[in-house]
Amino acid sequence: MKKIIAYTILAISTYSTAFAQKDSQAKAILNQVSQKYRSYDVIKTDFTFSLNNQQANIKETQTGTLISKAKTGKYRVTLYNSAAKPEVDKEIMSDGKSQWTYLKKDKEVQVSDADKGGDGLSNPAQIFTMYEKGFKYLYTGEQKIAGKAYQNIELTPEDDKKAIFKVKLTIDKVKKQIYSALLFDKNGNRYTYTVRTFTPNVPAPDATFAWDAKGHPGVELVDLR
């Protein structure tokens, strides 16, 4: 009996140590990703965004472009309604204080306070740094995709009331960059961002991150602040 107890304690201790090692490994990987991302003044990415909900029989895919200034919280997201012939479907931009959501089809732009504590849905740039606050993280292994090595990390929010209850990150091991992020919400939705290109330090004047009313005549402004 004493031997069984001793072996059980040893097994628990070994498991706890392994878990801690994985956790510290995840933190080290994420720190490298975050530091590299923040080392750039501006980044531009082309990405694919998909929404899947099996219960509701929903499966949608869009392409998009993100321009982000990590140090100032400024960003611009453009979603297109077709990959073959890209046309703007929706744009979200923020100057760090206000956020504008332009719905082209509805000829409407909604303005609200900047979303600084979001879940990465309105601002894909948050997938590069979202782990820094309010998440637990665990390294779950390595995989090969098209001959390249990628590291997998799973995030879970410390607040179980959050709509997003799990995030799976796939990270390019060599480039130290996010390759994809899969977000799970409590309504059965699965949101996937896959980064297709990553270009640092592109020119981006401040006007990039603010609504241009003169350039969009006939668009109704809806103030949600």
Side-chain angles (χ1 to χ4, degrees):
M1 186 65 180
K2 290 183 179 179
K3 288 184 178 180
I4 293 174
I5 293 173
Y7 286 139
T8 303
I9 293 172
L10 178 61
I12 293 172
S13 175
T14 303
Y15 175 80
S16 299
T17 302
F19 188 93
Q21 287 174 345
K22 287 182 178 179
D23 187 68
S24 61
Q25 186 172 359
K27 184 176 182 180
I29 294 169
L30 290 168
N31 282 342
Q32 289 177 325
V33 172
S34 179
Q35 287 171 9
K36 186 169 185 180
Y37 171 68
R38 293 182 185 281
S39 70
Y40 304 123
D41 181 40
V42 181
I43 64 105
K44 178 181 179 182
T45 70
D46 294 309
F47 63 88
T48 300
F49 171 74
S50 65
L51 164 62
N52 287 278
N53 188 317
Q54 292 184 349
Q55 295 178 343
N57 197 28
I58 296 174
K59 189 174 183 180
E60 301 174 356
T61 300
Q62 290 181 289
T63 58
T65 300
L66 162 71
I67 301 174
S68 174
K69 277 193 171 186
K71 297 174 183 177
T72 59
K74 298 179 180 181
Y75 60 87
R76 185 185 192 100
V77 179
T78 304
L79 289 170
Y80 305 99
N81 53 19
S82 171
K85 188 179 179 181
E87 292 184 5
V88 174
D89 176 49
K90 177 181 179 180
E91 287 190 296
I92 305 167
M93 61 211 79
S94 175
D95 61 2
K97 297 179 180 178
S98 299
Q99 176 179 294
W100 296 266
T101 302
Y102 171 46
L103 307 173
K104 184 178 180 181
K105 184 179 180 181
D106 298 329
K107 293 185 178 180
E108 176 181 294
V109 61
Q110 301 169 353
V111 60
S112 59
D113 291 328
D115 181 12
K116 296 179 181 178
D119 50 20
L121 297 180
S122 62
N123 176 14
Q126 290 178 350
I127 67 175
F128 297 99
T129 56
M130 65 189 301
Y131 84 94
E132 294 177 340
K133 185 177 180 181
F135 280 92
K136 295 175 284 187
Y137 34 83
L138 180 67
Y139 176 69
T140 58
E142 192 172 307
Q143 69 179 122
K144 287 284 184 77
I145 302 175
K148 293 184 178 180
Y150 293 87
Q151 297 166 309
N152 298 311
I153 292 176
E154 188 169 298
L155 308 178
T156 53
E158 294 173 347
D159 181 359
D160 59 10
K161 294 180 181 179
K162 291 283 189 180
I164 299 296
F165 67 87
K166 182 167 62 177
V167 180
K168 291 185 176 181
L169 298 178
T170 302
I171 298 165
D172 188 311
K173 185 176 181 180
V174 175
K175 293 182 179 180
K176 308 300 180 187
Q177 292 174 358
I178 300 290
Y179 168 72
S180 68
L182 172 59
L183 293 79
F184 299 76
D185 81 9
K186 294 177 180 177
N187 294 319
N189 296 314
R190 305 291 182 265
Y191 308 93
T192 305
Y193 293 99
T194 303
V195 177
R196 295 159 51 223
T197 65
F198 186 101
T199 309
N201 298 324
V202 297
D206 285 342
T208 304
F209 310 103
W211 173 246
D212 178 15
K214 291 182 179 180
H216 298 82
V219 174
E220 180 184 2
L221 176 68
V222 178
D223 196 331
L224 302 177
R225 293 171 292 187

